[in-house]
Amino acid sequence: MRRLFALALVICLWLGFAAPASASLAGDNVAGLTPCGESAAFQQRASAAKTDAAKARFDFYANSTLLCGEDGLPHLVVDGDLGHLGEFVIPGILFLYIAGWIGWAGRSYLIESRSAKKPEEMEIIIDTGLAIKSSLGGAAWPLVAFKDIASGAMFAKDDEITISPR
């Protein structure tokens, strides 16, 4: 029952109770930023680009929804507006997924290596077959983690946790 309450609390806090505040002043103008295609400082930087890659990058910025500051550089906007979702939220979720994948693969490798004859040696000399198997299995880590949390396999039993005498 405690785990169900904790899961419900996490979901409620994750979704939030209040609508996100918006820092918009008027239209696309967020905190004094202007669209890069309309920014004079950005146009000056774009005209100074020397390589083809830099020119292509400036063209991409000028034709996108990115906003530039007075310095002529694009700024990330994290204000809850879905128009700016790709600037921070999507890369952030992708980062968390990849970091979780790496962590889950390492966790599953260590759990599998416990059953070996010399588990300490498997931490020093990596078993590539097991490492690849763990890495491929780690791709589904959000689903497996949810299953482990729901079944209780993620948590140690109360009698396995040592308590220091006081």
Side-chain angles (χ1 to χ4, degrees), residues 104-120:
W104 197 267
R107 176 183 181 271
S108 63
Y109 179 85
L110 290 175
I111 290 172
E112 287 289 324
S113 68
R114 285 183 199 161
S115 61
K117 292 178 183 175
K118 296 181 179 179
E120 299 84 13

